[in-house]
Amino acid sequence: MKEAISIKLLYISLAVLCIVSSETKIRSMAMKLFDAHCHLQDQRVVDKAPLLIHIANAAGVVYIAVDGITEKDWHLVKEMSDEFDSVIPNFGLHPWYVEGKSRSWFNTLKELLEANPSAAVGEIGLDKSPLAKGVDFGEQVEVFKKQLQLAKDLKRPASVHCLDAFPELLQIMKEIGPFPAGVILHSFQGSPEVVPQLTKLGSYFSFSGHLMPLKEDKARKIVKAVPLDRILLETDAPDALPINPIFFVPGNATLNQPANVHSVLTYVASLLELSKEELADKSYKNALGVFSFQGSKIPLK
């Protein structure tokens, strides 16, 4: 029964892909995109991940960075990366989950990264927002510092979550940095004033659908503060569904998927007053530069 339902969903999804996104597919033949941050190992979509990856690839999304968030999902990210050439694995302990870590979490993470040279570090970070209510911030800082130092030591980029904690983030990055391999500020919504200092330390700024609910003037100021050669695009799927999504997850239209990086591209390009083609080319090349570290799936320049 489940197999029949899965096959039905596959046919429905492919039909939707052909009908709804025909223009996107045609344009994507000339446009390459890179989803710099998502979570296809999330239990809400993991069973549909192969389909969502195929849809994204067909829509011109060449690479998809999939970020682990706890020890319990790192193996899922690895398995996905082993199966799909387009999946760039990232392993890290998210600040929301630091209190559930095992005693051996750091050794496990270090060994996993060393055994998988194609993997970056992430998702890691700091969060003082209400979303992290009850999570000890001191413990977040301790865990974050260890992972950020590990990323630097291994010469890998790190994908960083930061909400309401940019002063602390900047201080820590100054202590440990700079970061020649790059630090990705994922779903960036920080103040334009912090951009120059973060840029000097090696940061890139990735934009997602989380930007869209902001007042347009505020979103425009944030995006325009970032140098064009430091802009990345992401979906943060299955969260951050864009306001005007092109693609929907079969069975749950409230969830996001990597192919919707097209919607993020359209919005950010409009804020920057650039053509979609120009921003697609620039953001794709920026992402290639960040993720083409020694051992990466992406060929070194």
Side-chain angles (χ1 to χ4, degrees):
M1 185 68 172
K2 288 183 178 179
E3 184 177 351
I5 293 173
S6 296
I7 292 173
K8 185 177 180 181
L9 287 174
L10 173 61
Y11 281 119
I12 291 173
S13 301
L14 291 177
V16 170
L17 175 64
C18 291
I19 296 170
V20 177
S21 64
S22 58
E23 181 183 353
T24 299
K25 287 170 64 181
I26 293 170
R27 290 170 69 92
S28 71
M29 294 174 68
M31 283 198 304
K32 294 180 179 180
L33 291 173
F34 197 129
D35 183 355
H37 186 106
C38 73
H39 303 282
L40 291 182
Q41 83 286 4
D42 187 295
Q43 290 302 309
R44 293 170 291 172
V45 295
V46 67
D47 61 327
K48 302 178 182 72
L51 174 61
L52 301 184
I53 292 168
H54 286 307
I55 290 173
N57 293 161
V61 184
V62 181
Y63 292 108
I64 304 167
V66 178
D67 288 71
I69 57 174
T70 75
E71 294 170 83
K72 295 178 181 179
D73 72 7
W74 294 343
H75 72 286
L76 295 174
V77 174
K78 174 175 166 41
E79 290 168 6
M80 210 173 291
S81 171
D82 289 344
E83 184 175 355
F84 298 98
D85 291 339
S86 60
V87 171
I88 307 297
N90 293 246
F91 305 120
L93 185 57
H94 190 287
W96 295 352
Y97 305 104
V98 296
E99 293 181 343
K101 67 185 184 302
S102 70
R103 291 184 178 181
S104 61
W105 76 272
F106 184 74
N107 287 336
T108 301
L109 177 61
K110 185 172 184 290
E111 290 170 4
L112 186 61
L113 287 165
E114 290 175 341
N116 294 273
S118 66
V121 177
E123 179 177 355
I124 66 176
L126 301 172
D127 194 328
K128 294 177 76 174
S129 78
L131 293 172
K133 185 178 180 180
V135 183
D136 182 76
F137 188 69
E139 190 165 2
Q140 288 187 45
V141 169
E142 180 183 350
V143 169
F144 176 62
K145 283 183 174 180
K146 285 185 176 181
Q147 294 182 101
L148 192 62
Q149 184 66 60
L150 179 61
K152 182 174 181 178
D153 292 344
L154 294 176
K155 299 179 181 179
R156 313 272 181 95
S159 188
V160 173
H161 165 114
C162 186
L163 288 177
D164 297 346
F166 279 98
E168 294 86 352
L169 173 69
L170 193 54
Q171 179 181 345
I172 292 169
M173 287 184 63
K174 286 179 178 179
E175 291 172 3
I176 299 175
F179 302 91
V183 168
I184 300 164
L185 277 302
H186 116 83
S187 288
F188 182 70
Q189 298 179 66
S191 166
E193 285 72 29
V194 302
V195 170
Q197 294 182 74
L198 289 170
T199 300
K200 287 180 182 178
L201 291 164
S203 295
Y204 290 76
F205 304 82
S206 187
F207 298 111
S208 71
H210 286 300
L211 193 69
M212 296 181 182
L214 300 181
K215 290 184 177 179
E216 188 172 311
D217 185 57
K218 180 177 181 180
R220 181 178 292 106
K221 287 179 180 178
I222 293 171
V223 168
K224 286 198 168 186
V226 177
L228 193 56
D229 63 356
R230 296 302 180 104
I231 289 179
L232 305 178
L233 303 176
E234 63 166 270
T235 60
D236 199 23
D239 295 313
L241 184 70
I243 291 175
N244 296 306
I246 302 173
F247 302 88
F248 296 90
V249 172
N252 193 332
T254 68
L255 298 179
N256 198 9
Q257 61 169 300
N260 279 323
V261 73
H262 276 279
S263 297
V264 179
L265 167 69
T266 299
Y267 184 63
V268 176
S270 71
L271 294 177
L272 291 171
E273 301 174 270
L274 294 175
S275 69
K276 288 189 286 187
E277 290 77 10
E278 184 177 357
L279 182 58
D281 180 66
K282 192 62 181 176
S283 63
Y284 180 73
K285 288 177 179 177
N286 291 345
L288 289 184
V290 176
F291 286 100
S292 61
F293 48 87
Q294 188 69 43
S296 170
K297 290 183 174 183
I298 300 171
L300 292 170
K301 293 181 179 179

